[in-house]
Amino acid sequence: MPKALIIGSGVAGTATALFLAPQGWDCAIFEARAEHASDGGLFLNVATNGLAVLEEVGLRERLMEDAHRCPYMEMYSGRGALLGVVPNGPAGDPDRGSAVVRRAWLNQVLRDAVTVAGIPITLGARLRDIREERETVTAVFADGRTAQGDIVIGADGVGSPTRRWIDDRAPEPAYSGLVSVGGTARVPGLAPTPQTQRMVFGARSFFGYLVRDDGTVLWFANTTEPEQDRESFRRVPAATWLERLRELHADDPSPVSEILAHVDGEIGAYPLYDLLHVPHWQRGRVVAVGDAVHATSPSAGQGASLALEDAFVLARCLREERDHAAAFSQYQSLRQPRAEEVVRYARAVNKQKRVTRSRLGIALRDAMLPMFLRKASSDTRNNHLYRGVVEEVAR
Ligand SMILES: Cc1cc2nc3c(=O)[nH]c(=O)nc-3n(C[C@H](O)[C@H](O)[C@H](O)COP(=O)(O)OP(=O)(O)OC[C@H]3O[C@@H](n4cnc5c(N)ncnc54)[C@H](O)[C@@H]3O)c2cc1C
């Protein structure tokens, strides 16, 4: 049985194992962290196309048990005026809209399925090097352990060492100018927001929230922050972020301040980096998937869904093409244009979120956005993003 060493137990790594194992691959996952992360209260969008991939491994219903169906997004100005309602899924087809879930829940659903499939996850295994031999490949971990297999699949996220092993001149992630901070809250009397998520173009920071049927508020803010290294961002205590957000959103319309006053549980913060064009996704017996080769900021709501699609497509290529090098190259050519289109789209959205201090800039944005959003509400040009690879394969 051929052996696949999968580096990283995030969405891309676990999903790849779930598609490969039934095809006769002996999969083993290696994760750098010593324990599975709780991710604070961070949540993410699983788009229509990502849900279709989960359906293929029988996990869609399980995920939806703790999801907020979200076929729409409502956009508000910093003065509380409704600027527009846009589809979060294919325009004109709300039944096939996307879902918002806690990041930790998506990871848990995938991990539980991995456990049921008998695929081992080794924690505390940080990939340090890869050695390729004629017939095999060896992953070398920071503590000196090694593992040998037929292929290595790097699902090791935006800071991917696999990407650098594939090409030591691979681009480094680009900082978007925004940090995403998020968590949960309970605000007495705040009504649920069924089918939708609300976004507020605040005067000094962008804010999003939804209220689940049980009253739990999931909220996030994208604040404009000067660049510093990723480690320094990580060292900022949660309480400092919260204090900063309370100040930045003090003048924004209700219920933004109320939500920030009633935060409960952990707060997660992460700077938004992306990777637009990584020339080489594979070399020899090594290939990379997910954020490792096309990280996108959450503004397109597609990061997890692209990772799920990669897993699906890579497994298809390895099924149809026994030669791994040919399969890897087919995988890259099938995935790269779509992934880059999403990263570009998310960059365009980020421009709207970055805060301009000028009153004129805010007035112009609030005047232009309703027109733009009206067009977006019926614009079917993005529908192909939500149609996704499962439908393409089925056609
Ligand atoms: C902290 C964090 C918060 C996020 N929050 C959001 C959000 O709120 N909204 C949103 O849309 N998207 C968010 N994302 C992005 C989204 O989760 C990803 O786009 C998507 O899940 C695809 O992930 P992936 O599996 O490719 O990478 P990741 O989810 O980053 O998983 C990579 C895994 O590889 C492991 N790893 C890294 N280096 C090594 C190594 N050397 N050896 C072994 N293992 C290694 C990591 O510990 C991690 O578990 C977040 C990402 C991160 C990292």
Side-chain angles (χ1 to χ4, degrees), residues 240-252:
T240 308
W241 283 120
L242 189 54
E243 203 180 310
R244 178 157 167 68
L245 293 183
R246 284 177 174 152
E247 185 204 314
L248 289 172
H249 289 285
D251 302 327
D252 287 342

Side-chain angles (χ1 to χ4, degrees), residues 70 83 89 91 93 109 123 161 180 197 204 221 238 243 260 269 289 322 325:
C70 200
L83 299 171
D93 195 357
V109 167
L123 293 171
S180 193
Q197 189 173 181
R204 288 177 292 157
E243 203 180 310
L260 291 172
V289 287
R322 292 307 294 181

Side-chain angles (χ1 to χ4, degrees), residues 7-13 30-33 39 42-45 103 125-127 155-158 161 270 289-292 298 303-304 307:
I7 311 301
S9 68
V11 173
F30 298 89
E31 167 57 48
R33 293 182 190 162
D39 283 334
L42 291 172
F43 56 97
L44 49 71
N45 192 60
R103 193 169 177 268
R126 179 172 295 281
L127 181 79
D156 39 10
V158 67
Y270 80 110
V289 287
D291 281 11

